[in-house]
Amino acid sequence: MDHYVDITLRPDPEFPAPLLMNALFAKLHRALVSHGAQLGGRLGASFPGHVGTGRALQLGERLRLHGEASALDTLLASDWLAGMRDHSMPAPVAPVPAGAQHRVVRRVQAQSSPERLRRRLARRHGLDPAEAAQRIPDSAAQTLRLPWVQLRSS
């Protein structure tokens, strides 16, 4: 992944930035699925402007796509930004600077549903629901303090 492109959201008085970022990421997801093996595993995404302080956890107003120049050019040549052109400004594909710092970005998922954990425990160990509820209390739910994107995959 030696190149990148930044897609910046334009300010819009009607739509807040988190809503636009969710829509932009959903379009990216659909584009990656439609290009399949042509781009599969050759692109990454990050949110360099994310804000994670206090209660305002947001992805920010910039989506950065990382990858080989050919993969980024292929994606940008397709019409995946249709409908978002009024709300976004893609920059040209640029090489990663020589002294750039790198960071690992990955999906994090919390065990946020005690009810699901109870059903799994009961199914795996042959317990009745009451015993599973006793072993896994409601306080076992985990929450994360990270920005997130809301996505529905078809």
Side-chain angles (χ1 to χ4, degrees), residues 8-117:
T8 306
L9 295 175
R10 293 182 174 142
D12 190 316
E14 295 179 23
F15 301 106
L19 180 72
L20 292 173
M21 186 57 75
N22 284 335
L24 180 64
F25 200 81
K27 285 195 164 287
L28 172 64
H29 177 71
R30 286 191 295 272
L32 293 175
V33 169
S34 69
H35 283 82
Q38 189 178 16
L39 295 178
R42 295 177 49 205
L43 291 179
S46 64
F47 304 92
H50 79 277
V51 178
T53 59
R55 292 178 51 105
L57 300 174
Q58 297 180 1
L59 294 173
E61 298 177 358
R62 199 166 28 139
L63 171 64
R64 180 171 288 165
L65 302 177
H66 312 266
E68 300 169 4
S70 60
L72 291 169
D73 288 334
T74 299
L75 179 66
L76 293 175
S78 68
D79 199 24
W80 76 277
L81 278 174
M84 287 296 295
R85 296 225 185 263
D86 292 342
H87 303 288
S88 63
M89 296 181 300
V93 175
V96 173
Q101 295 181 354
H102 295 77
R103 177 175 293 185
V104 175
V105 179
R106 65 178 165 257
R107 178 181 183 200
V108 178
Q109 194 170 5
Q111 300 291 327
S112 59
S113 173
E115 185 58 38
R116 184 180 48 77
L117 294 173

